[in-house]
Amino acid sequence: MEVTIESALAEHSPIGVPRADLEELDAAVRSAAERIATGREQDEHGYAALNLPDETDPEPIEAAVESVTPAENWLTIGIGGSALGAATITEALDGDGATYSLDNVDPAAIEALLADIDLSETAMNVVSRSGRTAETLANFLVVREAMETAGVEWTERTVVTTGESGPLATLADRHDLPTLTVPEGVPGRFSALSAVGLAAAAFQGLDLEAILAGGRQAEASLADSLFESPAYAYGATMYALEARGANVAAMMPYAESLEAFAEWFAQLWAESLGKDGRGQTPARALGATDQHSQLQLYRAGPKDKVVTLVRPRERPSVPIPETDQDAIDYLGGSDLRALIDAEFDATEASLRKAGVPAIRIEIDALDPAGIGELLYTMEAACIMAGELAGVDTFTQPAVEWGKDTARALLRGEQTLETVDGLSVRTGPESQ
C-alpha cells in the first residue's frame, strides 16, 4: 500500500501543511507511536484492535458458519460497527452467495427484503457485544418470527456473535446456538478483522487467513515516524489539515465495490474523533460518478475539505470497442481500466489546481490481502489522529446518550418534552 500526501502540502493548497510543520509534527508522532505500542503490548481497551490480525483465529468462525449452512443468503443483523465491517469486506471481494446487512429499522426496507428472499435458504448472524442493542434485537425478532411463519427452524440457521454475558448470550445458551465472541477491548467500529467482520466473509468462502495476512502486512509497516509508516502518515496529515481548517473529510474510492468502505470509514472517523469540539465531518463520494456532482463543491466551494482518493492498482480489463465517430474516437481501442485511472488522475490534478488538499491511497489489488491491509491502515491512522488530537478515540458518549434516550422513549419513561425541555412538531396534528 502507498499513501501519497504531496497534494496535501502547503505549496499546493492554502490550507495545506507546510513541509516544515510535518517535520515538527513527527516528534509528536514518535511519542504517540510509543503510546500506541504500549497500549498494544498491554492489550488496553481500543489499542487491542491493532492486535486482531495476530489473534483472530479463522477456524471457529468457519466452523460456526458451516454449522448453519449451506444456504443461499446470509443476513448480518447488527448496526454500526457490528455490520459495516462485514459489508465492507463482502462487497469489496467477489465471493459466493448473497449477503445482506440489516443495520437499520426502516420497516418498509425490512418488509421488502423478507418478501424477496427465500427464508428456507437463509442463515443469519446476530451481532451485538452487549446483547442489548435495540435495533439489532428488534430486527432479529422480526426475522425469527418470519422464519417461524415460513416453517423454517430458526435455531438451525442462527449464529450469535456477542460478549460473554447479556440477553443474546443467554439466548444462545438456551437454544444451543453456535456462538462467536466479540473480542474484549475492541470497540465495534474497530472490529472488522475479528469474528464480527469475518463471519459473512466465511459464508462467501473468502480466504480469511489472507484477509488477516493483509492486516499483518499493514501492522508490519507501523513505525515511529510519519515518513516511514503509511498509516501514521495518513493520520498525522489528516490531523494537521484539520488544524488548518480542513473540517470535512471526503472519502472517494475509485471502485464501486469500495462504496461500503467509504461508509465504514465515515463511522470510524466520526465516532472516534468527533469529541471535545474537534473532528472532521466525513463525506462519502464515489469515483468517477461523483466527479459529475460533488467535485463541483470540492473545487469551487469553501476551502474546508480534504479529499482522500483510493484505488487498486490492479483492475480487470474491459476493452472499449472502436467507433467511427470522430468526436469520440479517442475512446475506441482503449479500456475501461485506463479510463477510470485517467478519471482518478484528473480528479487529483483538478483538486490540486483548485488548492484543495488531497491524499492518494493505492492498494495493490482488491483481493483479500488488499482489503485487510486497507482496513488495518485506516484503523491505525484513526488511532494516531486521536492521539495527536488528545481525544479519547475509543469512547462514544454521544452515541450512548442517544441509545439510552431511545430506550426510555420506547418504554414510556420519558417524552420528548422531558428529554430536552422542548418539542417542536409540525403538521396538522400540531395545529
Side-chain angles (χ1 to χ4, degrees), residues 74-411:
W74 183 267
L75 302 182
T76 299
I77 303 178
I79 196 166
S82 295
L84 284 173
T88 296
I89 295 169
T90 56
E91 290 186 23
L93 305 174
D94 187 19
D96 298 324
T99 59
Y100 305 88
S101 292
L102 297 187
D103 60 351
N104 205 338
V105 287
D106 180 348
I110 302 301
E111 187 178 58
L113 175 62
L114 294 179
D116 191 50
I117 63 175
D118 182 354
L119 291 174
S120 69
E121 291 293 339
T122 298
M124 60 179 163
N125 180 203
V126 190
V127 187
S128 169
R129 177 195 298 279
S130 67
R132 294 182 173 86
T133 308
E135 299 91 341
T136 300
L137 294 179
N139 280 338
F140 165 64
L141 293 173
V142 169
V143 175
R144 185 176 74 173
E145 182 177 64
M147 283 187 165
E148 290 174 340
T149 300
V152 178
E153 181 48 68
W154 68 272
T155 60
E156 297 176 1
R157 292 291 189 178
T158 304
V159 175
V160 169
T161 304
T162 191
E164 292 185 1
S165 61
L168 271 182
T170 300
L171 179 81
D173 287 342
R174 181 185 305 150
H175 295 282
D176 195 26
L177 304 177
T179 304
L180 295 169
T181 302
V182 177
E184 284 295 320
V186 178
R189 58 192 177 276
F190 287 92
S191 65
L193 297 179
S194 73
V196 174
L198 294 176
F203 165 76
Q204 288 198 322
L206 298 172
D207 189 341
L208 304 193
E209 180 52 42
I211 296 171
L212 295 169
R216 289 192 291 272
Q217 184 173 340
E219 177 186 18
S221 73
L222 297 181
D224 60 2
S225 168
L226 71 90
F227 299 106
E228 298 173 9
S229 168
Y232 292 166
Y234 185 80
T237 303
M238 292 289 278
Y239 161 78
L241 286 169
E242 182 195 349
R244 296 179 62 82
N247 298 315
V248 177
M251 177 58 69
M252 193 171 186
Y254 273 70
E256 286 203 33
S257 61
L258 285 178
E259 197 165 12
F261 161 74
E263 189 172 354
W264 172 86
F265 171 84
Q267 185 199 2
L268 178 76
W269 215 251
E271 192 171 358
S272 300
L273 304 177
K275 289 151 191 166
D276 304 333
R278 300 188 60 101
Q280 293 164 310
T281 300
R284 303 193 292 272
L286 180 65
T289 301
D290 286 314
Q291 286 177 227
H292 297 266
S293 56
Q294 294 184 41
L295 186 60
Q296 174 66 36
L297 173 66
Y298 299 164
R299 289 195 83 238
K303 292 295 185 290
D304 61 353
K305 301 169 188 66
V306 50
V307 182
T308 301
L309 306 169
V310 183
R311 70 174 168 189
R313 291 193 176 103
E314 295 180 12
R315 297 182 187 269
S317 176
V318 179
I320 302 173
E322 297 283 358
T323 176
D324 58 2
Q325 292 184 262
D326 292 343
I328 58 172
D329 61 359
Y330 68 94
L331 292 172
S334 185
D335 190 285
L336 290 181
R337 176 176 57 191
L339 177 57
I340 197 167
D341 281 341
E343 300 278 11
F344 179 102
D345 294 337
T347 297
E348 185 176 30
S350 172
L351 292 168
R352 184 187 296 203
K353 182 72 172 177
V356 179
I359 300 175
R360 186 195 325 150
I361 297 178
E362 296 175 291
I363 60 176
D364 290 337
L366 269 177
D367 58 13
I371 197 67
E373 185 178 18
L374 180 61
L375 289 168
Y376 188 97
T377 297
M378 290 294 101
E379 289 178 4
C382 182
I383 294 172
M384 172 55 71
E387 292 292 323
L388 294 174
V391 300
D392 191 342
T393 309
F394 308 116
T395 62
Q396 51 284 329
V399 172
E400 298 303 328
W401 190 93
K403 289 180 181 178
D404 292 343
T405 302
R407 292 190 193 100
L409 290 171
L410 280 170
R411 290 169 177 156

Side-chain angles (χ1 to χ4, degrees), residues 55-92:
E55 296 181 352
T56 300
D57 183 357
E59 289 189 7
I61 301 172
E62 292 167 342
V65 171
E66 287 174 4
S67 71
V68 297
T69 55
E72 295 178 357
N73 310 302
W74 183 267
L75 302 182
T76 299
I77 303 178
I79 196 166
S82 295
L84 284 173
T88 296
I89 295 169
T90 56
E91 290 186 23

